[in-house]
Structure formats: C-alpha cells, structure tokens
Amino acid sequence: MFRYPTQAKRLESADTARRNGVLAALTVAVLLVGPQLVTVSRAVANLPVTAAAVVWSRAHGGTCDVRSDLMVTCESMDDVYANAGTTVGNAWLYGDLGGTDRHRHESRHSDQWAMFGPAFPALYGAECARTEGDYHRNVFERWAGLH
C-alpha cells in the first residue's frame, strides 16, 4: 500500500513510542521484581540442603527463624558447626555470633551454594587447602565480603 512520507513518519514514530513504552514497563518490572525473583530462585535451588541443615540444627538444640531474604538462621546450637558458624544452602548455623554484617556475609555464601550446588563444600575445602586455612586469602570468603 502506498503511503505519503508524512504518514510513514507518523507510523514510525508511533511504533517507536510503543516500543519505548514496552521497554520502559519491562525495565520497571525487572527493577521492582528482580531482587525478589533472585531471592526466591536462590531459596528454591538450595531447598534440599537447607532442609537437611535445619533438621541437623534442630536435632542439636538450635532454634531456627526464617528471615525476609529467605535465609534460615539457626542459633544457640551445641557446637556442631565449623568455626564461628556454617552456611548450608540457605541455613546459617551458629552459636551466638550474630549481627547484620555477619548475616549479609553468610547470605552471600548461600548465593555460592546456589551457584555451585552440592559441589560447593568440595570446592570450599579445596580452597581452604590451597590457602592453608587463611580465610583472608580464600576466594569464597572474599567473594562473601570477608575483610
């Protein structure tokens, strides 16, 4: 169909405006929903090991609480975790060492569990061997924000 140049220009600008509107709506949706989607995806990926860690914690005197970022904090355990605390999936097992900075650090280990799956403990152990137990040189600790 033949169109005059001004008609074609108007149709192009309407298409461009429509495309820009859709792109803007998608951008807003990703910004608003994106972080929650990542949080839920991490929790789903870690669910089997998280459940096992919660059962382990409860069996050893821990009290567990689910946080808004879907991390399960299990505190007051009878010393059946490594070092000052251990993150297994989305469960953070510890005695009495808490706090928001520590929670943020341990939630990054949950991200690592979600990325590497069941291979994560072996990779972490290999990194501990490589660094001879120096947590400040351990790549997983550094990625989790240890300073």
Side-chain angles (χ1 to χ4, degrees):
M1 176 176 162
F2 177 76
R3 297 186 202 272
Y4 289 104
T6 55
Q7 286 178 314
K9 231 178 193 154
R10 264 187 267 136
L11 289 173
E12 282 178 22
S13 69
D15 285 345
T16 301
R18 195 172 310 118
R19 248 183 270 127
N20 288 343
V22 169
L23 185 60
L26 284 172
T27 301
V28 168
V30 166
L31 291 174
L32 293 177
V33 178
Q36 289 84 3
L37 185 60
V38 169
T39 298
V40 170
S41 297
R42 179 184 74 184
V44 169
N46 289 336
L47 186 60
V49 291
T50 302
V54 168
V55 168
W56 174 264
S57 170
R58 299 287 300 185
H60 292 91
T63 56
C64 299
D65 182 34
V66 179
R67 302 291 175 97
S68 62
D69 61 353
L70 301 181
M71 283 286 293
V72 181
T73 57
C74 299
E75 62 183 333
S76 303
M77 296 178 58
D78 299 329
D79 210 24
V80 289
Y81 48 85
N83 301 321
T86 302
T87 298
V88 179
N90 266 35
W92 172 25
L93 316 175
Y94 66 99
D96 58 1
L97 179 65
T100 56
D101 288 340
R102 184 65 190 250
H103 180 86
R104 187 178 310 109
H105 173 85
E106 298 302 330
S107 72
R108 290 177 184 155
H109 284 311
S110 289
D111 294 338
Q112 294 165 357
W113 268 95
M115 285 189 287
F116 299 110
F120 178 61
L123 293 169
Y124 188 94
E127 183 65 6
C128 284
R130 185 191 71 80
T131 61
E132 299 174 346
D134 182 356
Y135 292 107
H136 295 285
R137 291 178 34 222
N138 184 311
V139 69
F140 295 108
E141 291 296 334
R142 293 179 69 184
W143 287 350
L146 181 70
H147 42 62

